[in-house]
Amino acid sequence: MMLSEIERARQELYKAVSTTSGANGMSEPYILNKSRKLDNLIYRYLLNEKNRKTESERKGRGP
């Protein structure tokens, strides 16, 4: 589920950036917000993976 959220955020950011080159371009704060959203989702995903690996090691299991 987290990966689908990341992919959706990536597509939204790509769409926002690609529309800025046109006459009806989106504002920089809008693009920055989309970028931060994607960064936050990636950070949460990586943190979750790290915590799962640590928990696995603590229980004596492989990754």
Side-chain angles (χ1 to χ4, degrees):
M1 176 149 158
M2 178 81 70
L3 290 177
S4 64
E5 288 180 44
I6 290 172
E7 180 61 24
R8 189 173 337 128
R10 186 194 64 79
Q11 289 174 357
E12 288 174 1
L13 177 61
Y14 178 77
K15 183 178 177 183
V17 169
S18 65
T19 57
T20 57
S21 61
N24 297 335
M26 300 197 180
S27 66
E28 290 179 18
Y30 179 79
I31 293 172
L32 186 58
N33 183 37
K34 293 295 182 183
S35 178
R36 284 182 182 154
K37 178 181 176 183
L38 180 58
D39 289 346
N40 186 29
L41 286 170
I42 292 170
Y43 174 77
R44 286 181 23 216
Y45 174 77
L46 293 174
L47 188 61
N48 187 34
E49 288 298 310
K50 178 184 173 192
N51 289 341
R52 284 180 28 196
K53 181 180 176 188
T54 303
E55 185 67 27
S56 233
E57 290 171 351
R58 203 175 310 138
K59 290 181 178 179
R61 295 185 220 147

